[in-house]
Amino acid sequence: MTYDESIQKAEAIITQLEQAEAISMEEYKRMAAEATALLKQCKSLLAEMHEDMSV
């Protein structure tokens, strides 16, 4: 998944969580974990890009 795809998906999940009126704790945890994983992937991709640019 590209950086743009990952960040868009994470943003969509965060929006869903913010707008959810009734969501189970299990679903909230699942969605939050998915968004966290996507953001970690984005951070990793940015670090790789920074490293490539420093060489």
Side-chain angles (χ1 to χ4, degrees):
M1 192 175 284
T2 68
Y3 175 86
D4 289 336
E5 292 169 336
S6 296
I7 201 74
Q8 286 175 353
K9 186 165 177 127
E11 288 174 345
I13 292 169
I14 292 166
T15 299
Q16 287 177 335
L17 289 172
E18 290 174 340
Q19 295 176 352
E21 291 184 25
I23 188 171
S24 71
M25 184 57 80
E26 291 79 20
E27 183 67 8
Y28 180 88
K29 284 174 58 177
R30 185 195 67 74
M31 292 174 75
E34 183 179 1
T36 299
L38 288 164
L39 292 173
K40 283 181 181 180
Q41 180 182 359
C42 290
K43 184 178 178 180
S44 176
L45 290 169
L46 287 173
E48 285 178 28
M49 184 177 68
H50 182 267
E51 198 173 292
D52 289 345
M53 292 174 71
S54 298
V55 174

